[in-house]
Amino acid sequence: MNDEFYIGYLPSAPPGLARRAKRVVLTLIFLGASSVVWLAASQAARPAGTFEFGTVRTFEGVLIERPIPMLRVSPPEGLEGEASPLVLVGFGKGGLPEFARGHHGAQVRFRGTLVIQGANAMIELNDPESFEVITPAAAGDPTGEILSLNVTVTGELVDTKCYFGVMRPATGKVHRACAVRCLSGGVPPGLLVRDDIGGSAVFLLAGTDGAPLDYDVEWAALAVTARGALELHGELPVLRVRSLELAH
Amino acid sequence: MSGPYRAVHWNRQKKVYDRWVVGGLLIAIGTFIAVTGALRPEFTAETLIIRSTSIAAVVLLHIVLAIGPLARLDRRFMPFLYNRRHLGVTIFLLGLTHASMATFQFHAFGDVNPLVSIFTAYSRDYAALGDLARISNFPFEPFGVLALSILFVMAATSHDFWLRNLGASFWKLIHIFVYVAYGSVLIHVAYGVLQSERGLAGPVLLGAGFVTLFTLHFAAERKEARIDAVIAPLVEEGYAKVCAVSLLRDGEGRPLRAGKERVAVFLSGARVYALSNACRHQGGPIGEGKILDGCITCPWHGWQYEPENGKSPPPFEEVIGTYPVRVVDGDVYVLPRFNELGSSCPGAGVEGGTR
Ligand code: FES
């Protein structure tokens, strides 16, 4: 029988009780830390991406608004072909900002922040003052290289800004509300397709004939099936969606 | 009923307690950040904050919920009970950090007020409740808000000032809501991160936590039911609780009150005895005496009595009364009616039972 009695308002606990309490606490800390290690290690790996938060660079190129807001830049000196365009979004959970609209086909210059994930690159236009039109609109609707007129793809509906690197992880239920906000704010939607061996690709989703894609932003983070024509803009795959529905 | 507000006085034990809490949390949060940083370097700092604070909060919530039944099952856990409210306040602060970061990250800078967005981002899926195929789409955010709100009310009213002013039973009622908070946390986790992270760790640990808490509460409940079954008839017979066995020192007495009677309670070896507190010589306080050579010895002039029957050892012939005594769950119960004078009364074993 233990004859020590604990009185909390006294300055010290009896030595036997204190020793035992210490053992209990150390056991709890050990159990807690082990659980934490297991939980941390069981988190799935995500694609790496970079958001150069706080860094602004100057960009120049042809602004494309349709089918997806993009900036076409000239390839670096001595390189043939077309460099991949950079997708354009606004600050926070927003798409192409108001100040950059209405210049489809114009040569423009502005400052912004890069979001990069592998071949996918995006610019956040966060400096309205820096935006200037160098040569007014010239081009018609640009079309990419058409790969197929009729594809059906099923995957997770993501917002491309978070997915390209602003948030990691940027998929699934925990991120769903954020994806809804981003899509609702005009960030281009993407269809994330995963294969069985850990690979993944994102198709940018656009409407047909330059019309904006008509869809339910609350489908964010859910599995959807898209049908349409697939074209390549540089290395960016864009799906001109004829139909989009929840996958079952 | 009302009482004045007094600032909490932090004594050394409170400080020791808090140091362990803070130390344990730093270890848990630091471990999570270190392991995730090493294995998943692509995760952002915001993700690390959101996840590490919530994991620490959930672990601590399990500990808080375990302390109550553990202390009821084994008094040696009392030291953890005494400052338990510190843990409650800490859980709230961790939850608040988690919620603030998540709200900022997932809902700020959008086209809807962030605090509204928490509830409405995918509001059509509230209807998923009635649709088994889509029920996993039900929003998880409101359950986090509910749990945090309960923790807030509990943290805000944890000071004794509120205990006095709200009344003990109302205060207890508020604190029963911690179980609602626990349930909400389980749903928040199951409908949130467990759908994004499909590893085994989350469900296995949460399940183990639930089973442990359930078992502890069940065991404590059963123990109390058994004790009640013993105490209730005792009380009906007129037994009065006089003190905890742990307050007695071996070989010494304590003058205590059983109902209206003054009784002298002695601990000798592993047995407890209750006798009249009045010495036959000049009415000295027997309870303030000690046991010498196996006899209860009056502190005034040293008259002696045997604990089992109240008789002075031969050749003396004085006798004092003895009382029926029981020990149940570490507490001493005395019936304030004398046994037959000089009859043998074995006392009660300290391990309790119903002798
Ligand atoms: S009163 Fe007890 S010994 Fe004198």
Side-chain angles (χ1 to χ4, degrees):
Chain A
M1 175 68 194
N2 164 63
D3 60 354
E4 287 184 332
F5 186 71
Y6 181 77
I7 303 171
Y9 51 79
L10 293 182
S12 310
L17 269 187
R19 261 197 313 280
R20 186 192 147 91
K22 201 178 209 169
R23 272 203 301 278
V24 171
V25 169
L26 289 176
T27 310
L28 280 177
I29 288 178
F30 174 76
L31 283 177
S34 314
S35 309
V36 162
V37 169
W38 191 21
L39 284 168
S42 76
Q43 298 172 107
R46 303 304 203 289
T50 309
F51 176 35
E52 294 186 339
F53 182 76
T55 305
V56 282
R57 301 169 187 271
T58 302
F59 299 89
E60 189 179 321
V62 177
L63 196 156
I64 308 294
E65 276 194 58
R66 297 178 296 273
I68 301 279
M70 295 187 282
L71 186 73
R72 278 188 166 170
V73 290
S74 314
E77 290 282 326
L79 277 184
E80 294 294 306
E82 194 195 348
S84 253
L86 296 102
V87 180
L88 300 180
V89 294
F91 172 77
K93 297 173 172 47
L96 186 69
E98 197 58 50
F99 65 81
R101 289 192 199 156
H103 301 288
H104 183 72
Q107 180 83 14
V108 297
R109 186 189 294 137
F110 56 83
R111 287 165 68 74
T113 302
L114 264 182
V115 185
I116 304 180
Q117 182 198 81
N120 300 323
M122 176 181 271
I123 309 168
E124 180 189 272
L125 281 76
N126 45 25
D127 185 358
E129 262 79 75
S130 70
F131 188 85
E132 54 181 317
V133 176
I134 300 166
T135 319
D141 269 17
T143 44
E145 176 197 347
I146 293 173
L147 293 184
S148 166
L149 286 173
N150 207 350
V151 296
T152 302
V153 200
T154 297
E156 179 179 341
L157 185 67
V158 297
D159 77 273
T160 50
K161 186 176 182 186
C162 288
Y163 190 77
F164 282 3
V166 174
M167 285 185 197
R168 301 177 301 275
T171 54
K173 181 83 172 274
V174 281
H175 184 262
R176 185 174 175 193
C178 179
V180 170
R181 283 278 76 76
C182 285
L183 294 178
S184 164
V187 170
L191 193 63
L192 170 63
V193 184
R194 298 183 176 95
D195 62 25
D196 296 339
I197 52 170
S200 62
V202 175
F203 299 85
L204 285 143
L205 302 182
T208 47
D209 302 328
L213 179 64
D214 182 26
Y215 71 110
D216 184 348
V217 293
E218 289 197 15
W219 288 354
L222 300 182
V224 294
T225 299
R227 290 185 182 79
L230 182 62
E231 55 189 46
L232 266 188
H233 293 250
E235 288 183 51
L236 274 184
V238 174
L239 196 60
R240 301 248 191 182
V241 178
R242 282 194 303 274
S243 82
L244 187 70
E245 59 193 22
L246 277 177
H248 291 291
Chain B
M1 186 166 68
S2 82
Y5 182 86
R6 277 192 205 93
V8 177
H9 179 65
W10 245 258
N11 66 9
R12 184 182 155 277
Q13 278 197 67
K14 275 198 196 325
K15 285 182 190 149
V16 170
Y17 195 97
D18 291 351
R19 266 204 290 278
W20 279 106
V21 172
V22 171
L25 280 180
L26 289 180
I27 290 173
I29 291 177
T31 306
F32 181 84
I33 290 177
V35 175
T36 307
L39 299 179
R40 306 281 177 258
E42 69 273 15
F43 279 31
T44 60
E46 291 88 340
T47 303
L48 294 182
I49 295 172
I50 291 173
R51 294 194 173 182
S52 62
T53 48
S54 56
I55 288 173
V58 172
V59 170
L60 213 48
L61 182 60
H62 280 83
I63 293 175
V64 159
L65 291 175
I67 289 175
L70 277 174
R72 285 191 279 160
L73 286 167
D74 183 339
R75 283 163 187 260
R76 286 174 299 180
F77 283 97
M78 288 305 269
F80 295 93
L81 189 70
Y82 193 73
N83 290 317
R84 182 171 54 169
R85 65 188 72 182
H86 295 200
L87 298 180
V89 174
T90 309
I91 294 171
F92 166 69
L93 292 176
L94 287 167
L96 184 65
T97 310
H98 163 80
S100 310
M101 200 65 202
T103 304
F104 176 79
Q105 156 126 323
F106 297 136
H107 302 274
F109 306 119
D111 52 357
V112 170
N113 180 317
L115 296 178
V116 174
S117 173
I118 291 174
F119 297 96
T120 61
Y122 46 107
S123 56
R124 271 196 289 294
D125 272 322
Y126 283 114
L129 200 58
D131 181 351
L132 225 51
R134 292 194 306 138
I135 194 160
S136 66
N137 292 344
F138 197 84
F140 68 98
E141 291 88 347
F143 294 101
V145 175
L146 175 62
L148 191 62
S149 311
I150 292 171
L151 289 168
F152 169 73
V153 174
M154 291 177 60
T157 58
S158 67
H159 192 282
D160 276 341
F161 169 77
W162 291 101
L163 173 57
R164 274 194 299 275
N165 287 301
L166 295 175
S169 58
F170 185 73
W171 194 74
K172 264 219 126 62
L173 178 73
I174 294 181
H175 285 68
I176 296 271
F177 272 95
V178 71
Y179 293 99
V180 180
Y182 173 62
S184 301
V185 164
L186 287 186
I187 298 175
H188 181 68
V189 173
Y191 272 72
V193 72
L194 292 194
Q195 289 186 22
S196 290
E197 297 291 348
R198 302 300 181 94
L200 270 182
V204 167
L205 289 172
L206 269 190
F210 180 80
V211 170
T212 306
L213 288 179
F214 185 85
T215 310
L216 285 176
H217 280 83
F218 185 72
E221 226 29 72
R222 268 188 46 163
K223 182 185 173 193
E224 266 162 21
R226 272 202 310 273
I227 292 168
D228 284 349
V230 178
I231 292 177
L234 276 187
V235 171
E236 210 161 288
E237 283 174 43
Y239 277 80
K241 180 160 138 184
V242 295
C243 75
V245 174
S246 52
L247 281 178
L248 301 175
R249 282 171 187 276
D250 191 16
E252 293 183 15
R254 272 184 91 105
L256 294 162
R257 199 173 276 282
K260 286 180 184 142
E261 295 292 302
R262 296 289 287 175
V263 300
V265 176
F266 280 83
L267 177 64
S268 174
R271 300 202 75 79
V272 178
Y273 302 93
L275 299 95
S276 160
N277 194 43
C279 183
R280 299 296 288 173
H281 177 218
Q282 287 178 7
I286 302 271
E288 289 169 24
K290 289 194 172 193
I291 297 179
L292 299 176
D293 303 324
C295 282
I296 289 170
T297 308
C298 176
W300 282 7
H301 314 94
W303 285 33
Q304 292 195 305
Y305 308 93
E306 287 172 354
E308 292 83 7
N309 50 29
K311 289 181 181 170
S312 293
F316 304 103
E317 290 183 347
E318 280 70 25
V319 191
I320 55 171
T322 62
Y323 295 101
V325 59
R326 301 269 177 96
V327 173
V328 182
D329 189 38
D331 289 317
V332 180
Y333 291 80
V334 171
L335 180 67
R337 284 197 290 272
F338 286 128
N339 292 310
E340 192 186 325
L341 203 63
S343 70
S344 182
C345 168
V350 290
E351 291 296 1
T354 54
R355 199 184 294 269

